[in-house]
Amino acid sequence: MAKRRKKLGEILVGWEVIKEKALTEALKYAQEHGKRIGEALVELERCTEDDVVKALAAQFGLEYIDLDHHPVDRPALGLIPSKLIEDYLVLPLAEDGDRLRVVITDPLDLETLDLLRFRLNREIVPSLAPVNKVKRFIEKFVNPEGDVLSQTMASIDQEAPEEAGAEGDGRSTVAGEDVDAPIIKLINLIITEAVHGRASDIHIEPMADRVRVRYRVDGVCHVRDDIPKNMQAAVTTRYKIMSGMDIAEKRVPQDGRIKMRVGGSDIDFRVSALPAYHGESIVLRILRPESANVGLGALGFEEDDYQKFVKIIQRPNGIFLVTGPTGSGKTTTLYSALQELNRPDKKIITAEDPVEYNFTGMNQCQVKEEIELTFARILRAMLRQAPNIILVGEIRDREVGDVAIQAALTGHLVFSTLHTNDAPSAITRLIDMGIKPFLVASSIQAIMAQRLIRVICSECKVADEKPDRRTLQLLGFTEEELAGKTVWKGKGCKRCNNTGYRGRIGIFEMVTMNSQLRDLAFNLAPTSELRAAARAAGMRTLLEDGKIKILNGVTTPEDLLRVTQAEGVMAA
């Protein structure tokens, strides 16, 4: 009888790389999002891509190749045409008679192996390596010309005519045959590199003597390069044409959208043009479909907060508010909740400004102020559609707040966001808008504040032998809390671009309304009293949640201090 091949999850659990709970969570995530179990484990940050590939190699009886420490056999690289290497992500290692040893990234990709056998007319002996390391190897050794983006910028700097300066309208430059192709290539390279580098934003910022290009990765901006000043107008015009803006209008802000296929995925970009002192500043927000499909288990909840969150979103009516500044992950959290509730027996309607991600099974409405299609108007129309669940992008004023509360009181579950620094102050904010205190007290079921902190890179994670004592003191750590605990940090490696961090998760502050909090809200109690009552009822602050993640080796004291100081929650 043939021996049963072990499953990938079994191997990783057997190696003690992951726990059974993490495997169960990843299996559910993989089923919901149509992914392989290995992809799910990596996306949920339960293990590294290296771990998955090593387990795959063991599962299929293949050799694992660590390309970071593998000697380069340049004659062997010539055994397969570079076009095949780049298109199919295969690397020739060495000849062995009529056989050729190659590195592949997917042991189930039999079509590629058959293609290589046919094209090269020899037996192929496959080994395995992670996709990201194969790509880096190809960039370094198969395409030795180096940094294509920097080279393109340099070539434009040498070739571009001086008269195409920032004061020109950019039309002749973009239309000119000599410069048109390099500009298009440059723009496409910037976008592609940002997407592959996990950036959330691309910033094109005119300055006095240059145009700075920055990518925001894991919430932090990194300078990439400078575009020659004499190409500013051409670059700006190109972005405006791609996003459907008026290229002749330079005096007022404009918004647009770009849809491009990058690396096999359709990516949306929300584009903003803002007139500034040295010319128009362009920002592209990269909207990845998978970023709103992370699943509740990957948001970063501690177990008790996770159980509270799941109970709250299962309630039949009431308002659930998520608060925090722009870029703190509120939309992702709410989309994850809606995805959990998105079933054929539930009708879900959303009012958003703008609709960033499209989901099957939900009715999503776009706010259009120019035709007076406002949040309040959409909300009133929603109620005539008999929904079970409503998402209001943001409660901005009393009118929207009143309609949302009426919806909650008439049997609908309402999700929305608010811009406040912490959870208890959301109650005060709604009352300050002019919403009656008894309506606020009776309709709100729970409020959750959140921020995003960076996760230590799993590949270069090491114990911090000498953590900064001042930082630990500022975060309120005591000697008792630190006794026997290890503080971790990232050394910096290729995988995390030497930042020491890769990815982000949330820290949360969850307030579940009880009779005492409702009484305080009804009696117009100040935020300090609401906060004290919430703490007494078991609320864990943003800072305390972050401290748990430091002691669990998820993040660093420096990153928690960066987030909490910036948002003024140190007093928590």
Side-chain angles (χ1 to χ4, degrees), residues 10-22:
E10 287 181 59
I11 295 171
L12 290 169
V13 171
W15 289 354
E16 297 185 353
V17 173
I18 59 171
K19 306 283 188 188
E20 285 282 359
K21 181 182 175 184

Side-chain angles (χ1 to χ4, degrees), residues 189-242:
L189 280 171
I190 289 172
I191 290 174
T192 303
E193 184 180 72
V195 170
H196 289 159
R198 303 183 305 106
S200 59
D201 305 275
I202 303 170
H203 298 261
I204 312 296
E205 301 165 318
M207 308 186 86
D209 57 347
R210 66 193 191 281
V211 180
R212 184 171 64 178
V213 179
R214 294 197 292 174
Y215 302 151
R216 188 184 297 277
V217 181
D218 294 334
V220 177
C221 280
H222 302 275
V223 176
R224 175 57 181 91
D225 216 328
D226 293 329
I227 295 174
K229 184 69 175 177
N230 54 11
M231 295 311 300
Q232 176 178 320
V235 169
T236 300
T237 302
R238 178 65 189 165
Y239 276 119
K240 291 169 80 171
I241 289 171
M242 291 173 73

Side-chain angles (χ1 to χ4, degrees), residues 57 110 142 158 227 241 246 263 284 317 332 421 435 512 529:
L110 302 179
V142 180
Q158 293 168 5
I227 295 174
I241 289 171
D246 182 357
L284 286 78
N317 63 284
T332 299
N421 277 338
I435 300 170
T512 305
E529 286 186 33

Side-chain angles (χ1 to χ4, degrees), residues 403-528:
V403 180
I405 284 174
Q406 289 303 322
L409 293 175
T410 53
H412 304 88
L413 181 61
V414 180
F415 294 96
S416 191
T417 69
L418 205 61
H419 289 290
T420 61
N421 277 338
D422 60 7
S425 60
I427 296 170
T428 314
R429 175 73 186 279
L430 290 172
I431 294 171
D432 287 344
M433 281 182 184
I435 300 170
K436 292 181 174 59
F438 76 90
L439 291 175
V440 173
S442 57
S443 62
I444 292 178
Q445 297 290 348
I447 306 162
M448 186 174 77
Q450 71 175 69
R451 302 291 186 277
L452 292 176
I453 54 171
R454 292 183 290 175
V455 176
I456 300 170
C457 174
S458 55
E459 285 202 8
C460 60
K461 182 177 178 179
V462 294
D464 190 350
E465 302 296 341
K466 294 182 179 178
D468 185 68
R469 308 308 296 181
R470 174 66 177 156
T471 301
L472 295 174
Q473 287 171 3
L474 285 171
L475 292 173
F477 278 106
T478 62
E479 292 298 329
E480 291 75 20
E481 285 177 308
L482 294 170
K485 299 287 186 179
T486 302
V487 176
W488 299 84
K489 66 177 181 180
K491 286 192 305 183
C493 63
K494 290 180 182 178
R495 183 171 181 261
C496 62
N497 289 326
N498 293 311
T499 62
Y501 301 95
R502 185 177 171 87
R504 290 188 292 174
I505 61 168
I507 54 173
F508 303 95
E509 183 175 278
M510 179 90 72
V511 175
T512 305
M513 295 294 281
N514 56 25
S515 56
Q516 184 186 3
L517 284 167
R518 294 187 198 280
D519 287 342
L520 289 171
F522 181 77
N523 293 311
L524 302 177
T527 303
S528 56

Side-chain angles (χ1 to χ4, degrees), residues 364-382:
Q364 295 173 268
C365 303
Q366 167 83 50
V367 170
K368 294 179 181 175
E369 300 281 355
E370 63 272 15
I371 59 171
E372 297 184 3
L373 188 61
T374 60
F375 275 121
R377 191 170 180 181
I378 293 173
L379 261 173
R380 289 192 181 93
M382 275 183 186

